[in-house]
Every structure is written in C-alpha cells, then in structure tokens.
Amino acid sequence: MQSSLTLSVSSHTSLTIPRSNHAFEPSSKPINLRFCGLRREALGFSSLRQRSDSHRVRLASSTRGRRVFVSAASVSGNGSPPKSFDYDLLIIGAGVGGHGAALHAVEKGLKTAIIEGDVVGGTCVNRGCVPSKALLAVSGRMRELQNEHHLKALGLQVSAAGYDRQGVADHANNLATKIRSSLTNSMNALGVDILTGFGTILGPQKVKVGSNKVVTAKDIIIATGSVPFVPKGIEVDGKTVITSDHALKLEFVPDWIAIVGSGYIGLEFSDVYTALGSEVTFIEALDQLMPGFDPEIGKLAQRVLINPRKIDYHTGVFASKITPAKDGKPVIIELIDAKTKEPKDALEVDAALIATGRAPFTEGLGLDSINVATQRGFIPVDERMRVIDSSGNLVPHLYCIGDANGKMMLAHAASAQGISVVEQVTGRDHVLNHLSIPAACFTHPEISMVGLTEPQAREKAEKEGFEISIAKTSFKANTKALAENEGEGLAKLIYRPDNGEILGVHIFGLHAADLIHEASNAIALGTRIQDIKFAVHAHPTLSEVLDELFKSAKVKAHASSPGVSTNYSSPSIRRDLHIRERKNIQRELLNFLEAVGARIRPILASWYPSFVFLLTDILLTMIL
C-alpha cells in the first residue's frame, strides 16, 4: 500500500513525496506537544524511530494557536501484507492479551493474524475472570437477600431466598459464550486472520500452525497464557477434587469444601460457595491468610470476609496428599507442617478446590529452535517484553506477553503488555509501568490495590534512603456508602511526603475494584498528590473516599510539575512555570523537526538540498 509524506506549510503550499510501506509510526490522533516530566514518557513520545508501516507524517501550522501536531493516515481493514512475510504481526494465543494486541496492531495498519489453539478468549473469558464474575454476581445477590439485618435497616422485607444450581451454572456459561463471540466478531470485523491450530515456532519469524501450515511474520508475539497449577501429591478427578476450571462449571455445591490456597482465586470461590450454603476450610501454606495483600487490608478483610462466615482455616501447612472421594469414602486431605514437613492433621471433606495459582502454558512452543530456555516454565523477557535466549541475548522480532512471561499474571496486564509491544514494533519506544497496573479481588465487599504494599514500600524506602507516610480514610465517613448501608471499608495511601509520589493504594470496601483506577492512572501519568488534591469529585459518590484520602496526605513539596494547573497566587511561581513549560515545548518541537528532517533529507537532497532547513526556519518563526 502506497502512502505519502506531506509537509503542509500553509493552505496553499504542500509537498507530497511517494514512499514505500516503511516509515516511522506516529500516533493515529493529533498529539499536543505539551508534555512534562513523567507524562512525556507515559504518553510514549520519548522517541520517534524509523519503522515499517503504511502511514504518513504531517506537519501542519494552525492559524489559531500555532499548534504543531502529528497525525497518521487513515487505515482501512487489516493493512496490506508485507512483501517478504505473510504478516506484519503474528500472535500465538487468542486470549485477552492476544486480542488486545491484535486490535491495536490493526489500528496501526499492520497486517495481523492470531493463532487460536483452543477457543478465542483464552483462560480469562472461558475459564477465569468472566465466568467467575457471573458466579460472584449471583453470590452477591444471595448475600443481600439472606442478610435480614441489612434489609431491615433499609426497611425491606424479603421471603427466603433460594437458587437453581443449573440456572446459576448456565448464567456463567452463557456469559462466557457471549464475550467469546464478541471478541471473535471484533477481530473478524477488522480483518484479523484467525488461524486455528497449535502454534509452534520453527525458527526466526516462522511458525507452524496445526500439523502442516507454515506462516511467516516480521514480528511474533507469544501470548499462550496459563493453566491451573496443581502441586505434587494431589490427584484431580474433576468431580470431587477440582481446579478453578472445573469449579466454574458448578456441577454441584458440596456441603463442605476445602480450598487449598487463600489468594485471589481461593477468596472469590469462598465467597461463592458460602453464599450458596457450603462450609469452607482454607488450607494455607504461609502463616497468615491472604499473604499477597497489604497486611492491614488483609487483617480487615479476614474480619469481614472470613470470621463471620462458615469458614475455618489451617495456616502454615501443606496439603501433601489429596485423594478424591470414591466408593462412598470422602475426599481425604493429609496435612504436613510447612516448615518441618512433619505430618500434622488429616481432613475428610466432600470436595477440595485447588487454588494454588497458575502455571505458564509454554510447553511444545518450539522454543528450543530459537535457543530459548524457560525459567520455571516462564519465558524470560526484558522490560519491553522482548524474549531473551539462553545466552542472554535478545531474540530479534520475538516478544512474549501475559501469564507466559510471569511478570504480572492478570488479564488486563497481558493486554497492556500487548499494546506496548505493538507500540514498539510500529516505531514508538514504550515501557509499561507495571506498578501502575491495578488488581482486584471481587469478593463482597471487594478488595483492590495498585503499587506497593506497606512492607514493600518500607523496604524500598530503606534501600533508597527516603521516608514514607501513610494516609487512611474509612467508608464509614462516606455518604453514599452509608446510604447503601455498606460502611465497612478502608482506603489506604502509601506515599512519599517529600515529593508527593504515590507508592501504593489499597482499598477494601463497596466497589473497591472500580475506585482503584483513579490511583492507578495517577501512578501511570506521574501525577503527584499535591496536584491530585485539586481534582473534583461528584457528591455524594464513593469516589469521595479517594478524594478524602488524597486530601488527608501531608506533602512537603508545593511546586507542581510543568503543564499541570495550580492555584498558586505567586506571580513568580506562575512566571517560572510558564518559562519552564515554554522551554519544554520548544525542546519537543526541535526534537520532532530533527526526526522529520533526518527522514526526508536524503529524499530531497538531490533536488532541493536546502528545502528542509528552510522549512524548519519557517516553522520555527511561525510557531515560536
């Protein structure tokens, strides 16, 4: 597909230069060059590199405001196939990560294909996030209907609540089917080629799909996801000893179920099973429940989510052996001390759910053909998701995202990593800040978090030599939470008092999973507490929990980053910020013009050697 490089100086003068498929890739939308501090990096303007994509670059001067912007040519369909490869981008794995990367790649004009080894949507849609949320929606409503004290406080009277097990199971299955269909339709609509079969890497830029089809691609992304991890000694029969894959089908609701592991998966299923009438026993290898959560939040969550419910627990023990129920005998669980490995106890229950985490699905990918060795099953990558081989070298044109690389085993993290990779292969250097990626546990109430826990922050502070402070707010002071009669909850902010940097935010309470994103975005954009204090929140809303949290923080620094509005009345501060902002704009503009000049100078040299320099002078005169 031909494209052009257009330099527009006015409405009457332009120069159009035909060019091949390859150019450096700007954003598909105008980019205002008013960047500052961390925002410059977060928005991906740290470099403009030469790349191979069917786009054009346009410099335009506006008669109003004299703004400079970059815009990409419109892209129709799924791009054009490259001359030497079947595809620009090939993605092995059709889960949420692969889907996100594919859609972003098409938007960038890349000819894209995605390999579907099982079903579109991967673990999240078919055996994870999506069906589990359907079950949790049921458990949430059951809890409301069963809580007579809560309903009475609202003036409501409801007869005894009940449920149809098959109906609940159908709801989860139907939701997964609907989302899977939506993902497939979105890729089909954009022209992404969906290749069915198991993908095996044959060598650099070459993949076998199924038994005999071989395709080539300029860049390849591995996005194969993960499977439930089952420790040694545990026999899974899929009926009485199950993984989360089986539990989501809800084939039966046991009277007593043991859940091995008290992380996200275990907590969510304890919420479901207890709401539907089961008794639950947690088996946790560490000395405390919910070990991955901030300790203070975990302690509160235990008081609300575990202690009042039909849940007991054993901590500091391993389930060394689990035997499924058969011949009229119950499930037998043998426990040993996690430290001494001495036998400690034995349990007899109706069922056991293995919620000990997930393992990367990377076997059979043909990684040996490119000299890549996995580490505990994970594919080693650098901060840009580029695959590292056994010698410590980067494998050209090969990336790995999502659970398969083990950086952060969350569906939305996989999608973010995929988008980051596409930015890189289309010419924009992009490094994803994983500390800005939020996580949530959809219990009732919910738990959410982003950034560091308090112990992690204190360790970092000690190592790097700075102080940290803690701010907290309670849901009991929030009007909307009280109106819902859901005042149980806490928001916690961990930050640096010297400069206002947000290190971590943890929330336990009503709709915590929705509230966390204000903090997540602040970390991603580098927004400091002294700036976010001026954000306005609607009243009365749950968002005011975060509003009060940030306002309660005591920050010593007062100066905002350039480009961020402040309410400072000092003329000298306003003047300094204005001068600094203007210098940043000039610097960004000069960098941009140098990049454009370097690209078109060889083309124009033969016919008008001084054109680029003349144009640069004109633009600088008009704009600055």
Side-chain angles (χ1 to χ4, degrees), residues 53-246:
D53 311 292
S54 306
H55 291 276
R56 66 183 180 185
V57 178
R58 183 183 178 207
L59 273 178
S61 63
S62 171
T63 58
R64 296 180 57 188
R66 302 294 187 189
R67 293 191 307 155
V68 178
F69 61 84
V70 187
S71 65
S74 60
V75 179
S76 59
N78 186 18
S80 300
K83 295 179 181 179
S84 56
F85 297 98
D86 298 319
Y87 297 98
D88 288 307
L89 182 65
L90 180 65
I91 303 165
I92 305 175
V96 171
H99 175 264
L103 265 58
H104 195 57
V106 172
E107 180 186 337
K108 292 292 186 178
L110 301 183
K111 180 68 176 176
T112 306
I114 192 166
I115 298 175
E116 171 201 327
D118 183 15
V119 288
V120 170
T123 293
C124 175
V125 172
N126 300 286
R127 300 173 298 278
C129 328
V130 171
S132 68
K133 298 311 158 291
L135 296 182
L136 285 160
V138 173
S139 71
R141 283 165 174 76
M142 282 296 294
R143 291 194 182 283
E144 286 189 53
L145 295 174
Q146 293 170 344
N147 192 336
E148 295 182 8
H149 177 74
H150 177 76
L151 294 173
K152 187 176 181 180
L154 295 173
L156 297 176
Q157 297 179 354
V158 179
S159 59
Y163 68 91
D164 171 32
R165 182 202 58 78
Q166 188 59 52
V168 174
D170 290 343
H171 170 57
N173 182 65
N174 292 340
L175 178 62
T177 301
K178 183 183 297 185
I179 301 300
R180 182 169 61 245
S181 176
S182 177
L183 295 184
T184 304
N185 291 340
S186 67
M187 289 192 290
N188 285 335
L190 290 173
V192 176
D193 288 351
I194 302 177
L195 311 178
T196 303
F198 190 85
T200 305
I201 298 173
L202 298 179
Q205 300 172 293
K206 185 182 296 185
V207 176
K208 181 175 72 171
V209 183
S211 57
N212 49 24
K213 183 179 179 65
V214 177
V215 293
T216 60
K218 184 175 182 299
D219 293 289
I220 297 171
I221 296 177
I222 298 172
T224 49
S226 62
V227 295
F229 171 70
V230 179
K232 293 181 179 179
I234 297 177
E235 180 184 347
V236 174
D237 66 350
K239 298 183 181 299
T240 59
V241 179
I242 59 179
T243 66
S244 56
D245 287 2
H246 307 109

Side-chain angles (χ1 to χ4, degrees), residues 484-501:
E484 298 279 350
N485 200 23
E486 295 283 357
E488 194 71 74
L490 173 73
K492 178 178 180 179
L493 168 66
I494 307 164
Y495 66 100
R496 288 184 58 166
D498 58 337
N499 61 12
E501 180 185 357

Side-chain angles (χ1 to χ4, degrees), residues 325-369:
K326 54 186 174 183
D327 301 328
K329 296 181 180 180
V331 173
I332 300 175
I333 304 175
E334 298 179 19
L335 303 179
I336 61 173
D337 187 279
K339 296 176 181 177
T340 66
K341 305 300 185 292
E342 294 293 326
K344 193 165 185 180
D345 204 350
L347 300 176
E348 294 184 353
V349 295
D350 299 311
L353 167 63
I354 313 306
T356 48
R358 301 187 64 84
F361 182 62
T362 54
E363 289 187 13
L365 279 176
L367 297 174
D368 53 340
S369 67

Side-chain angles (χ1 to χ4, degrees), residues 41 46 49 379-388 392 394 398-402 405 407-408 413 416-424 428-435 437:
E41 297 177 2
S46 56
R49 299 184 305 176
I379 296 175
V381 296
D382 70 356
E383 61 181 0
R384 290 173 174 82
M385 309 302 128
R386 297 176 294 191
V387 174
I388 302 171
L394 295 175
L398 183 64
Y399 303 81
C400 178
I401 65 173
N405 69 33
K407 280 185 174 289
M408 201 172 208
Q417 290 172 2
I419 291 170
S420 177
V421 168
V422 172
E423 286 292 294
Q424 293 169 54
R428 284 176 171 269
D429 188 30
H430 186 274
V431 177
L432 179 64
N433 178 9
H434 285 81
L435 286 177
I437 298 177

